[in-house]
Amino acid sequence: MTIRVMLVDDQVLLRTGFRMVLAAQPDMEVVAEAGDGVEALQVLRSTEVDVVLMDVRMPKLDGVETTRRICADTDPPKVLILTTFDLDEYAFSGLKAGASGFMLKDVPPGELLAAIRSVHSGDAVVAPSTTRRLLDRFAPMLPGTAKEPQHQELERLTGREREVMVLVAQGLSNGEIAARLVLSEATVKTHVGRILTKLGLRDRVQVVVLAYETGLVRAGGHG
């Protein structure tokens, strides 16, 4: 199955470089490009895309707001944020907007390709521990965005699911959570799947973000 990729970046040379890397892959195809967010949204109306590589600093409409609008649609493509600096506020805002992960622009080609495949398969490409560092750093500086319904959504979780959610938000892997709670890894995976379904989240990164927004886990601390 071919992964249909869209490149969104205002630097033509950068898009050209990414296109050359992706074109050499048997399972990937660059189906669209855009130089800013406004153009990206227009192209997406008429083009089937699986994964969007999204720059953040662009004219007209930046990558964060573009990501937010894309992810608000029904069955949107996955968005992978491309950022110049590790742990910057754009990556944080991109994750809050619905991106499935972020990569540095100078990432080795092999890592970029692996990230695209991971995002396409439904995984997040940012380790929850990295997301926690982002949140610990930037959450105190940003106004809270949690809405009351999000708190009510957490009430759908069983006690065990809340336990698992806190540990996911603290950056633990399924194996580590299984050891901590004395469960099988398969059982933990089932719990994580139910958490995603009940809360309408795409991946573990979204679990971490929501845990912070609802106060289940606090910046710089644990739940």
Side-chain angles (χ1 to χ4, degrees):
M1 181 176 158
T2 301
I3 302 172
R4 297 164 296 191
V5 181
M6 180 179 188
L7 306 176
V8 184
D9 197 299
D10 61 338
Q11 296 181 47
V12 177
L13 272 177
L14 207 65
R15 294 206 309 267
T16 302
F18 283 138
R19 192 189 324 117
M20 289 173 63
V21 170
L22 299 182
Q25 303 305 305
D27 61 338
M28 293 186 194
E29 179 187 2
V30 176
V31 296
E33 295 185 33
D36 61 67
V38 172
E39 185 183 356
L41 293 173
Q42 290 172 342
V43 171
L44 279 171
R45 290 193 192 109
S46 58
T47 308
E48 289 286 329
V49 174
D50 298 311
V51 178
V52 179
L53 291 187
M54 180 73 71
D55 185 26
V56 283
R57 305 183 196 203
M58 297 183 295
K60 296 185 183 175
L61 195 67
D62 67 34
V64 173
E65 181 58 30
T66 306
T67 296
R68 186 175 292 112
R69 295 188 191 185
I70 290 172
C71 293
D73 283 346
T74 306
D75 194 25
K78 308 287 184 171
V79 178
L80 190 55
I81 295 279
L82 294 172
T83 179
T84 311
F85 305 104
D86 193 11
L87 296 182
D88 77 3
E89 68 273 19
Y90 292 101
F92 171 86
S93 300
L95 293 175
K96 283 174 66 74
S100 292
F102 70 92
M103 301 290 289
L104 297 179
K105 282 191 175 182
D106 60 358
V107 64
E111 287 186 31
L112 177 67
L113 297 170
I116 292 170
R117 291 185 182 106
S118 293
V119 163
H120 181 249
S121 69
D123 292 331
V125 299
V126 187
S129 55
T130 306
T131 309
R132 277 206 67 203
R133 292 207 307 277
L134 271 171
L135 289 160
D136 283 346
R137 180 166 170 181
F138 293 109
M141 293 188 250
L142 297 177
T145 56
K147 299 176 180 63
E148 196 56 38
Q150 289 180 317
H151 293 280
Q152 292 170 1
E153 284 166 12
L154 292 183
E155 294 172 10
R156 299 179 194 164
L157 304 181
T158 64
R160 177 63 89 187
E161 287 164 355
R162 284 175 76 99
E163 273 186 288
V164 171
M165 183 173 177
V166 167
L167 295 176
V168 167
Q170 289 173 6
L172 274 64
S173 67
N174 285 355
E176 291 166 335
I177 294 171
R180 179 80 63 91
L181 299 180
V182 197
L183 298 169
S184 73
E185 201 165 330
T187 299
V188 172
K189 191 171 181 180
T190 299
H191 283 313
V192 172
R194 286 177 181 157
I195 291 166
L196 295 177
T197 301
K198 286 183 178 181
L199 300 180
L201 304 174
R202 275 175 294 279
D203 52 46
R204 295 170 79 94
V205 167
Q206 297 292 301
V207 171
V208 181
V209 172
L210 183 62
Y212 271 74
E213 289 185 334
T214 57
L216 197 62
V217 172
R218 292 179 297 280
H222 300 296

